[in-house]
Every structure is written in C-alpha cells, then in structure tokens.
Amino acid sequence: MAILLGVDTGGTYTDAVLMRDEEAVIASAKALTTRQDLALGVGAAVRRVLDVSGVAPCDIALASLSTTLATNALVEGQGARVALVYIGFSERDLDAQGLGDALNGDPVLLTAGGHSHSGAEVAALDLDAIAAWAAAQDVSAFAIAAQFGTRNPSHELAARDAVRLATSKPVTCSHELSAKLGGPKRALTAVLNARLIGLTHRLIGRAQTALQDLGIATPLMVVRGDGALMSAAQALERPIETILSGPAASIVGARWLTRTDLALVSDIGGTTTDIALLRNGRPVIDPDGARVGPHRTMVEAVAMHTHGLGGDSEVHLNLGGLVGTVSLGPKRVLPIALIAHDAPDLVHRTLDMQLARVTAGKFDARFVRRVADQERGPLPARATDLLTRIGDDLQPLGTVAPSRLELQSLRLLVSRGLVQIAGATPTDALHVSGQFARWDRSASEKALALVARHCDGAGKRYATDAAEMAARIIDALTHATGVALLEAAFAAEGALDPAAMANDALLHRGLRGGEGLVRIDAALDVPVVGLGASAQAVYPAVGDFLNCETVLPDHGDVANAIGAVTGRIRMVREGLVTVMTDGHFRAHLHDAPQDFDTLEAAMNAMEAQLRRDAQEQAEAAGAQTVHLQAARDISQAQVENKAVFVEARIIVEATGRPRIAAHDTRTVV
C-alpha cells in the first residue's frame, strides 16, 4: 500500500490530502495561504493532515504540488529582470504579440542570424558579439529566440551555449517550449519563462525544505497547466508550463472523484470561479495556448474560463437605479465573518455602533488591515501617511480613510498588496442563511443588516433584514455563476460571442420556463461538477437555474490537491517533415534538419527522434512505465486533380504513472 500526498496552494487556502494508492482519500486539511512565503502555508497544511491521519511522514511514497505562483506572478507583473537575444528579427517584431509589453524595458539584443522556413541559414551568427553583450547585462536569466528556430534550432543552441559560458545564468530557448511557428509569440513565451525561473526556484526549494523538515523525503512532482505531472527539476527549467496549474489540477481531481467523461467542471474559490470542459474523461486543451493576464503564450494548458466571482467577491449595490440591483466582484474582500473570528471585540463593537445610528453610512461594515511582511517600495506621501495610520491592527475603514483623496490612496495600497479591505461577501450571506458555518455568523448578520438599510434611487430599502439581504446576494451569486457556465458552454461550441449568447433574454426566458403564447424551454445539456469549499451550498441552486444535473462529490473542496496526486505524466513532442524544391524530403530534427530521398524515410527518422525524446522526458519526470503513441498528420494540396504533398506533422505522446517510492507502510488510524 502506497500513501500519496497532494498539495494545492490556492488564493485563499492551501490544501493537503493523503490518499491510499490513488484509490481512497485518507484525510485532508487546510491552512491559510501565506502569500509572502507560500512554503509556510504548505508546511502548515501538510502538518495538519499528518496529525489528523496519524500517517508517519516516512511512509509517504509520492508528493505532488499544484500552485498558482506562476499564474499570479504573470497577472501581477512580477518576476525578475531578464534579457532577450532576438536572432534574425527586426525592431518592429518587438511590438508583435505583446512582446514589448512583456519585456517592460528589459534589455534586448537584435542580431543577425536565423533561418528560412525550409531551415536554411539566412545569415551567420556572431557568437562573440552575443557573448560580450550578455556578459554586460545585469539580469537573472536570458531568453533566446531565432527566426524559424523550430525549423532549425542550431542558432538558438549555439547562442545558448555562448551565453551560458559567458554568464553562468539560466537560459531559455524558445524552441524548447514550443514546436510551433510564430517567432514573436514563441519569444514572448521564452521571456516569461526566464522571468519566472527565480520565483519558481524559491518556491520549490522552500516547499521541498518544508517537506524535508517534516520528515518527508520523497521526490516532489509539480502539476503542469494541462493537468499532467512533471518533476520538480523540470518545473525549475520550464516554470512557464505550470501556469494554470491549480485549475488544471481541479479538473483532474474532478475526473477522479466523479469518474464522469463529459461535464462542465466549475470550481468556486474565494476570488474566482474557474470553469473547464471535461470531454472523453480529459480536460479540453486551449488550442491557442494559455492566456494569463494580457499574455497569450504557446504553453499547452487547459481551456479555462476564469471569472472574478467567488465566496469573497465584493458586494456592489446600484444605489442610483430606480430598481436596486446587486452585483458581485470582480475584486476580493475579506468576509466579515472571517475578520470577526480573528478580532471579535473590535468588529462587533464597530458593527453595533453603526447599527445604533438612524441612517446608513457609506463605510458601514467596512474594515481595513495591513498585510504583514510585504515589501512596500516607494509610495506617495499621502499613501505612506495612510499606511502608517492603518498600523498593524484591523481598523474601521471610515476612521482611517474618510475623504475621497484618502480613498484614492487606499486603492493604491490595495493594488500594491499592502492592505486588504473587509466587507460583506457571499460567504457572509451563506453564513446568515445557515448554508455555511466556518466563522462568525453573528457578525455576518450584523453586517448584512447594515447593508440592507441602503436605499435605491426610488428610496426603497434593499431588504427588510439580514436574512432577506442574504437571499438577494445568494440569488446574485447563483445567476452570475449560471451565466458564467453558459458562456463557457457556448465558447466550447465555438460561438463568436459567448458572453452575448449567455446573456440572451430569450434564452433566460426559456430557462425560467415561464408560460406565454410562445413556449420556450432551455437547459444546459451537460452535467455540472461543483467544486470548492462552498460548492455544496452554491451549486444546487445553480443546477435549478440552468435546469441541469449537478454533481457535488465528497472531498470536492480539496479536488485540486487530489488532482495533484492522481495525475499522470504526459510528454508530447512534435516534429515536421517538409518537401524541398529539389524533391528531397526534409526532417526538421532537433539538432539540425536532415534530407531524405523518400517521404517515408524522413517521417521514420523524425518519429524515431521524437520517440527517444518523449521517452527520455517521461523517464526524467519520474514515469515508472512509459507508453508511447505516435500519430502522423499529412497535409496535401490538390493541383490539377492530383494530390501534392505539403508537409507532415509527427506527434508522439509518452504517458505513464509516477514512480512510487517503496516503503514499509504502517497502519493508518
């Protein structure tokens, strides 16, 4: 019997789960995510799950981690300073695919070289100039991209060796991350990968140390953005492949928990709701590459639809409209129930004072607190003064930022991650309704009673009491979640404007099933698997709204951590065979192109190399037994009613289960 450990670091919680041979969950535990040092939250969650289960650390045979580090870093514009060696491209190519924005002023060397589409050298490469320039750069890592580097990577490889020799710094070659054409987009992916190397080294190094300190000596696996597993060493080299790691792990976990082959998987967290399609038992992959923030990369990842909608979404009241409406997000605030759990005296005293007033106040049920251990950097004087006044303790918002100018400074501090706002959230509404009971329900009731006192443009109160206000917030959450699922479904079917179709009035009339002269019936014709800490409370109503089946599995609140440890190693390698003007067939091998007399010989040579590469990568990832599968996609054109060969794309997939360390396991209590 092997005991497996899965860990997921989410925006609010870090989850840890122990499993027995991928067959049963032994125990799970949560700890608050420590954003200043994710490894602290990892250590706390793992320590708790060990305590709950009675499992000895030395009995753990496999550990696997899914993390939002890469995704969050790119969204928030974080990462180290890097340099790009751009071979065979011009100045205007820096503006393509958002490459210039991604560089954000980091140094670039535009140098002659590169190849043609056939793999022939266009210009010689000046390696001495590249080495001298690289040695003069004060950066943490380098990215290298050459014109048609996927057709012939020799210039990228030569430049990589020269830069490494001159600087001893990490170097990322674009052809190692994608076999597709599109130099600027491939360069963008290489730049982002180089930028993440330092951050990833720190996280994985600290996570490994945290596990070792607990007595867990097994090698660490990391979840990729497509849901497959890779070794920690591979993640250190290619951290860009871990973007969307957490959401991908939730899809894998949903498949293990439900054994369903076709479903929309919807994972509601504190900050976002992530939705993806499970088809034929596997997550659907985004054909255009993973998008993170403003960047569209060439990284293969799950086709994920992320909405700023979660249990901690900020509640907005449309006070100016004749009919008062409630909307949610996209920003996150701390639930009142949570902060009252941490500071009960201050929160209850403040809420009671606000309830004692006759009229509703702008800052009722709103608090602010400083985030510990965050580097603040340079700030305007007014923002610095406001940060000082906030201090180290929780404060009522109205006492520290009563004016418009101070609110502007407050928004700056929030955007820098220096302070957090607390206010009414769907989590508070679920506490009031009794559907969720983790923290202080009484504080949530007082907060929603304060929110209910606000009036719309017609002078009508939003609600008569906290319970009615909670129902309105939950209805808003149900509707927004349902619309998000409809949008994901329309997008999966290739709709040009999924958002518009998801909000169509005729569709919503059909969902309501209202009577009339024209009968319209509508439903989401695929099950919804609901995941997340509040899924049991939220998704039954969503299923009723969409007239669809909802699946709410046990342990759905730790599906990400389950997916982290039940995933499979999967390595895909692609290669291309083209035809030359002289009639030869060219296999674009990974070191340099090679010509053959026949198409079959060229394809066989390409497939043989891809099989070796995929096998080696899967074994390096820790696969126990590797299974190889090859496919050939041959493109032809019709010329005068005759089929003429254009190109052949060879794809080899290597899959396998992670190697499980042998242990004499003890009895699990």
Side-chain angles (χ1 to χ4, degrees), residues 22 62 221 229 564-569 621-625 656-661:
E22 296 187 11
L62 176 71
M221 306 293 291
L229 301 180
V565 80
T566 58
R568 293 291 182 268
I569 292 168
Q624 188 168 0
T625 301
R657 291 186 61 179
R659 188 178 298 108
I660 306 297

Side-chain angles (χ1 to χ4, degrees), residues 99-316:
L99 177 57
D101 293 336
L103 284 164
N104 194 27
D106 286 358
V108 180
L109 173 65
L110 294 168
T111 185
H115 296 81
S116 68
H117 69 280
S118 67
E121 185 178 80
V122 172
L125 193 63
D126 190 342
L127 292 176
D128 290 338
I130 291 174
W133 179 84
Q137 306 308 312
D138 182 16
V139 295
S140 66
F142 289 84
I144 296 176
Q147 184 84 292
F148 287 103
T150 56
R151 296 290 176 90
N152 188 338
S154 59
H155 280 190
E156 287 194 7
L157 294 171
R160 177 198 65 189
D161 293 343
V163 171
R164 281 180 177 170
L165 186 62
T167 67
S168 299
K169 297 285 180 65
V171 182
T172 297
C173 290
S174 73
H175 78 275
E176 296 172 336
L177 300 175
S178 175
K180 296 179 181 178
L181 295 178
K185 189 174 179 180
R186 206 170 58 251
L188 165 71
T189 306
V191 165
L192 297 178
N193 188 79
R195 201 180 296 288
L196 289 170
I197 287 174
L199 285 170
T200 308
H201 271 258
R202 286 193 293 274
L203 167 66
I204 292 179
R206 291 282 292 113
Q208 288 174 322
T209 299
L211 295 179
Q212 290 166 3
D213 288 346
L214 291 170
I216 300 171
T218 182
L220 180 66
M221 306 293 291
V222 180
V223 181
R224 291 200 322 236
D226 62 355
L229 301 180
M230 64 197 306
S231 68
Q234 290 171 328
L236 294 176
E237 291 181 1
R238 302 192 300 275
I240 189 70
E241 293 185 6
T242 68
I243 59 177
L244 300 180
S245 164
S250 75
I251 309 303
V252 177
R255 162 66 177 167
W256 186 89
L257 287 167
T258 65
R259 300 297 194 265
T260 187
D261 289 326
L262 177 65
L264 277 173
V265 179
S266 185
D267 187 354
I268 181 170
T271 308
T272 62
T273 292
D274 299 316
I275 303 170
L277 179 63
L278 192 65
R279 178 178 281 154
N280 298 324
R282 297 177 67 171
V284 173
I285 302 300
D286 191 336
D288 297 322
R291 177 184 287 278
V292 181
H295 307 301
R296 172 72 77 175
T297 70
M298 279 189 168
V299 175
E300 187 175 87
V302 172
M304 188 67 61
H305 301 268
T306 298
H307 299 263
L309 181 68
D312 300 346
S313 291
E314 186 174 13
V315 174
H316 299 279

